[in-house]
Amino acid sequence: MSIKIYTKTGDKGQTSLLGGKKVAKSSIRIESYGNIDELNSFIGLLKDQPEVEAKIKQQFYWIQEHLFSIGSILASENGFSGFELPQIGETHIKQLEVWIDKYTTELPELKNFILPGGHQVVSLCHVCRTVCRRAERSITQLHSEEPVDEHIIPFINRLSDYFFVMSRKMSQILQIAEVPWKPQLDD
């Protein structure tokens, strides 16, 4: 017997959190973990690019695993105790900082804003960065309405920084010139 993918329980615009509480699919909680899911999917697309080195793919895999943990936490009603959820902690935030610091020291000094692009891999890093920022905004909004685990917002904040640095690192690896933003002032 196979499991059906559709349940029809959401056909009226509601869904259940882990713990059973029904909420509107338009709620900020659903948007928050939906943004995390979208980010995870884009990271998968980025990870699947043949130009991405194995050691960087491993970092992306690590990030995806932890984004699934964050999605699970966000998909749970506060106080859920049905089973133990994976946690995000200070060590996870520090790991992102280690990678950011390592790559930053290998890159030329940043003197201008950089326009996204130059190669599909670089552009996908920027897509991940911007989706991550949207996820951060929605999680921050959720946190203003009800408490969110204290490590989630810093992790997501650091992750967007990671993808900015990774976009620059991938430009360097692929020998793609970064295009600085030079504002055009109208006369």
Side-chain angles (χ1 to χ4, degrees):
M1 180 173 135
S2 64
I3 297 173
K4 287 191 174 194
I5 297 299
Y6 59 90
T7 62
K8 299 183 183 182
T9 58
D11 289 353
K12 297 198 187 229
Q14 295 222 316
T15 192
S16 296
L17 300 176
L18 287 175
K21 180 180 177 183
K22 294 268 190 195
V23 295
K25 287 188 174 186
S26 60
S27 79
I28 192 65
R29 178 172 293 279
I30 305 307
E31 182 166 340
S32 294
Y33 73 75
N35 286 332
I36 293 297
D37 188 33
E38 182 181 354
L39 173 59
N40 213 336
S41 296
F42 274 116
I43 295 168
L45 180 60
L46 175 59
K47 184 178 71 183
D48 289 343
Q49 301 305 302
E51 298 87 352
V52 177
E53 299 173 355
K55 70 178 182 176
I56 294 174
K57 284 182 191 251
Q58 280 303 109
Q59 290 175 17
F60 293 165
Y61 178 79
W62 181 91
I63 291 166
Q64 286 186 295
E65 287 281 318
H66 291 85
L67 287 175
F68 252 90
S69 297
I70 289 171
S72 298
I73 294 165
L74 293 173
S76 304
E77 58 181 283
N78 284 335
F80 172 74
S81 60
F83 53 86
E84 188 175 347
L85 292 169
Q87 296 299 305
I88 296 297
E90 192 65 34
T91 57
H92 302 109
I93 298 164
K94 292 289 184 205
Q95 178 59 70
L96 291 173
E97 291 172 352
V98 166
W99 288 330
I100 291 166
D101 292 345
K102 175 188 181 306
Y103 292 132
T104 299
T105 63
E106 298 170 358
L107 294 167
E109 182 182 354
L110 184 63
K111 297 180 180 180
N112 298 87
F113 288 108
I114 298 168
L115 296 177
H119 189 281
Q120 187 170 354
V121 169
V122 175
S123 296
L124 281 169
C125 287
H126 282 287
V127 169
C128 290
R129 173 185 60 80
T130 58
V131 173
C132 191
R133 286 288 186 211
R134 178 165 24 95
E136 181 183 18
R137 289 189 301 272
S138 62
I139 295 166
T140 302
Q141 175 65 40
L142 173 62
H143 185 62
S144 73
E145 296 175 13
E146 54 186 288
V148 171
D149 179 280
E150 66 180 329
H151 295 103
I152 290 177
I153 295 172
F155 181 90
I156 296 299
N157 186 28
R158 230 54 102 249
L159 186 58
S160 63
D161 295 335
Y162 168 88
F163 279 113
F164 175 72
V165 171
M166 184 54 66
S167 73
R168 297 194 69 218
K169 183 63 182 174
M170 292 308 301
S171 290
Q172 183 184 58
I173 291 169
L174 299 169
Q175 300 178 337
I176 305 297
E178 293 179 321
V179 179
W181 175 56
K182 296 178 184 171
Q184 303 295 315
L185 302 176
D186 294 333
D187 292 331

